[in-house]
Amino acid sequence: MASSTNYDLTSVVGGYLDRHLIFPMLEFLSEKMVYDEQEMLEARLKLLSKTNMVDFAIDVFGQLHPGLEPEDLIKKRQSVLEELDRFNDIIQPVLNIISQTEVQEHITSSRQDHAQFEALLSRHGFKLDMIKPLYDYAKFQYECGKYPEADDYLYLYQIVAPHDHHNIMNALWGKLSCEILTRSWEPALEDLTQLRKRLEEMSKSSPLVKLQQRTWVIHWSLFVYFNHPKGPEDLVNMFLFDTDYLNAIQTTCPHILRYLAAAVIISKRRQTILKDLVKVIKQEVYTFKDPITEFVECLYVNFDFDGAQAKLVECKKVCKNDFFLANCQEELIANARLSIFETFCRIHQCISISMLAQKLNMEEENAERWIVNLIRNVKLDAKIDAQKHFVVMTAQPQSIYQRIIDKTKPVAFQSQIVAQSVTKRLEMQRQQQLVQEKEVRLQYSPVLTHCC
């Protein structure tokens, strides 16, 4: 039991998540039997007590205390039902307006367009005081665990609310959470991108607030990046090559290096970005280490193949009990084993298959079959000497053209970051200029009016 919990990051990661996002993680730990089931039920009930998911809470209470009546929860259930009736009465006029055919057509044709807000005001009697109840109703549905309904109402709120409405950012966070909980990864990735963009546009926020917000984005993004097909590549671009987010990881959450290292190992660009990862891991070795980061350190810093092989065994246990890495465990271990093999082959030209099997923690027959598959799939330039049971490397030097391509691959993303930074600065200057011009007009307009 102790070995299963040594590297569990659930409590650390959970500190940066909304409580609803923690429920799937607790379910995962229960299935893996990492902790005592009684402790898991108590943790679940504690989380549920701060939500409106009363039926779920009553069910968990019954498992914890068979035969006892949860009187407080029964009273709370009645209170939630009354609150739902009150919300239905308040929100009905808003729904009547939005359900009209003309409004529906306008909504589907202009997502999150401020013109939609003006159209509702002018044509259908939509009032300013209707905006907040729409957001409050979405939040209430979310607290009740009705995530698809909350997602729909938050979408409507984003359509009708002005861009500077005080709950816009909260709605973005809430919508992202709903899409994570309903496993809608494509829209979740879109909203994650939108959230990052809006955070960078918050020019009035202090550096500390921005650091805190980025830290939350980093943790929430793990759900998306480890479930979306393009996720690992996007994770590497954000965590490793975006300096703002890399600084946030190194400053507030070095434990995220586990997921960054895993994403790099899985990445198809592994060979070209490993140097950047190794540099970061070496810098943070005194603040965080676990089998995955230590595997990278053993293999690419110390060239300790025995140590890397030992860490690979531990990596399997870590991935098995990690909520985010469990689904990519096989791919990560396969790529890690391939990394050991590639690095070992760079040093030796003629290698015994039995020695390779030992280094890769495989049976000799399985190791030989694995090497044959690598050769067939053109992942390895080598041949097998069947009589001597040796692998003979015939690697050719990489062409200068391929070197240039590999070296310049990260440049496109880095150039995009620079372009966004320049665009943001120009936009801020333009906004300041508009404010100054407005102040000048206000200052001199009474004089001009009087002269006329």
Side-chain angles (χ1 to χ4, degrees):
M1 186 67 66
S3 61
S4 300
T5 60
N6 278 347
Y7 299 108
D8 179 37
L9 294 179
T10 304
S11 59
V12 180
V13 172
Y16 300 95
L17 300 176
D18 180 86
R19 61 176 62 92
H20 289 259
L21 294 177
I22 301 175
F23 287 124
M25 300 179 74
L26 294 183
E27 292 287 346
F28 173 82
L29 292 176
S30 291
E31 290 175 6
K32 297 294 181 180
M33 295 185 288
V34 176
Y35 295 96
D36 179 70
E37 184 59 22
Q38 195 78 1
E39 293 179 7
M40 299 304 301
L41 288 171
E42 289 174 358
R44 209 172 299 162
L45 184 60
K46 186 177 180 180
L47 278 177
L48 288 168
S49 65
K50 299 177 182 178
T51 72
N52 291 333
M53 299 164 68
V54 187
D55 289 337
F56 190 10
I58 291 173
D59 181 57
V60 174
F61 183 91
Q63 295 178 54
L64 272 172
H65 309 287
L68 292 180
E69 285 289 328
E71 296 180 3
D72 293 341
L73 290 175
I74 292 172
K75 291 179 182 178
K76 184 177 180 179
R77 186 178 189 278
Q78 184 61 34
S79 175
V80 168
L81 291 174
E82 292 173 0
E83 187 76 1
L84 178 61
D85 291 337
R86 186 182 70 82
F87 264 119
N88 286 334
D89 293 338
I90 295 173
I91 206 69
Q92 195 57 49
V94 184
L95 299 181
N96 290 339
I97 294 172
I98 293 175
S99 63
Q100 296 183 34
T101 305
E102 185 182 3
V103 178
Q104 284 293 317
E105 291 175 355
H106 200 77
I107 287 174
T108 54
S109 64
S110 57
R111 178 183 170 102
Q112 298 185 13
D113 189 349
H114 186 58
Q116 171 66 44
F117 175 67
E118 294 177 349
L120 287 171
L121 284 176
S122 59
R123 298 180 195 175
H124 303 284
F126 193 93
K127 300 177 183 178
L128 284 170
D129 58 6
M130 291 180 175
I131 297 175
K132 189 175 183 300
L134 187 58
Y135 170 80
D136 291 340
Y137 186 61
K139 189 173 186 299
F140 180 81
Q141 292 282 4
Y142 179 79
E143 291 298 334
C144 291
K146 297 182 177 180
Y147 306 120
E149 292 85 349
D151 190 19
D152 291 340
Y153 287 117
L154 285 172
Y155 169 69
L156 294 175
Y157 166 81
Q158 290 176 324
I159 294 269
V160 302
H163 290 310
D164 59 350
H165 198 261
H166 62 278
N167 281 322
I168 280 291
M169 287 304 298
N170 291 337
L172 273 172
W173 285 103
K175 197 166 185 304
L176 175 59
S177 182
C178 289
E179 283 156 355
I180 290 171
L181 291 164
T182 55
R183 302 184 66 80
S184 305
W185 303 121
E186 198 64 45
L189 184 61
E190 293 176 11
D191 281 333
L192 178 61
T193 304
Q194 179 69 15
L195 180 60
R196 289 179 59 193
K197 182 180 177 182
R198 292 297 294 267
L199 287 176
E200 298 310 314
E201 291 173 353
M202 294 169 56
S203 56
K204 295 182 180 179
S205 299
S206 67
L208 179 59
V209 170
K210 283 191 173 182
L211 176 64
Q212 292 171 337
Q213 294 285 314
R214 289 189 188 111
T215 304
W216 277 66
V217 169
I218 286 168
H219 288 81
W220 288 43
S221 70
L222 295 175
F223 289 92
V224 182
Y225 288 149
F226 281 107
N227 285 283
H228 193 279
K230 298 180 181 178
E233 298 296 334
D234 290 341
L235 185 149
V236 170
N237 288 336
M238 176 178 164
F239 289 9
L240 192 58
F241 296 122
D242 190 324
T243 53
D244 288 332
Y245 284 92
L246 179 57
N247 289 338
I249 290 171
Q250 293 177 304
T251 305
T252 61
C253 50
H255 54 272
I256 294 296
L257 289 176
R258 168 188 291 184
Y259 304 108
L260 175 57
V264 170
I265 293 171
I266 293 171
S267 173
K268 295 177 181 178
R269 299 178 293 156
R270 182 176 71 253
Q271 294 298 336
T272 60
I273 59 182
L274 268 168
K275 288 183 180 178
D276 299 285
L277 173 67
V278 170
K279 181 180 177 182
V280 175
I281 287 178
K282 285 172 68 177
Q283 289 174 346
E284 302 302 322
V285 68
Y286 298 108
T287 57
F288 177 79
K289 62 169 64 176
D290 77 346
I292 298 178
T293 60
E294 288 178 320
F295 168 81
V296 174
E297 185 183 6
C298 285
L299 188 57
Y300 295 106
V301 179
N302 303 326
F303 296 99
D304 179 2
F305 296 101
D306 292 332
Q309 189 272 329
K311 291 300 175 184
L312 185 58
V313 176
E314 293 184 39
C315 286
K316 290 183 181 179
K317 297 176 182 178
V318 170
C319 292
K320 180 183 176 182
N321 295 315
D322 188 290
F323 176 79
F324 300 107
L325 300 180
N327 290 336
C328 60
Q329 175 186 344
E330 291 184 7
E331 185 179 6
L332 191 148
I333 297 302
N335 280 20
R337 183 175 286 134
L338 181 59
S339 298
I340 294 175
F341 184 68
E342 289 172 342
T343 308
F344 195 79
C345 289
R346 288 196 191 101
I347 301 173
H348 304 85
Q349 188 176 5
C350 190
I351 312 161
S352 166
I353 293 178
S354 60
M355 180 188 293
L356 276 176
Q358 184 181 359
K359 297 294 181 186
L360 298 172
N361 194 29
M362 299 172 71
E363 296 290 335
E364 186 172 335
E365 184 179 345
N366 293 336
E368 184 173 355
R369 189 181 300 114
W370 182 72
I371 295 166
V372 169
N373 289 333
L374 286 180
I375 295 172
R376 284 176 179 171
N377 297 329
V378 200
K379 291 184 178 179
L380 182 65
D381 193 1
K383 60 182 181 180
I384 294 179
D385 187 330
Q387 293 181 344
K388 297 181 180 179
H389 287 278
F390 272 79
V391 178
V392 180
M393 306 303 302
T394 57
Q396 298 177 355
Q398 191 179 37
S399 70
I400 187 65
Y401 304 105
Q402 188 60 42
R403 290 183 189 180
I404 293 172
I405 291 171
D406 291 342
K407 290 283 186 182
T408 55
K409 272 185 179 179
V411 172
F413 180 77
Q414 293 168 351
S415 300
Q416 184 182 358
I417 296 295
V418 172
Q420 289 175 352
S421 179
V422 171
T423 304
K424 183 170 63 175
R425 180 162 294 186
L426 290 174
E427 180 64 22
M428 289 173 61
Q429 291 176 352
R430 191 180 70 83
Q431 293 289 346
Q432 291 173 357
Q433 186 177 357
L434 289 173
V435 170
Q436 290 173 357
E437 290 175 357
K438 185 177 180 180
E439 290 176 350
V440 170
R441 287 198 301 270
L442 290 174
Q443 183 177 357
Y444 289 104
S445 59
V447 178
L448 293 173
T449 305
H450 180 71
C451 290
C452 293

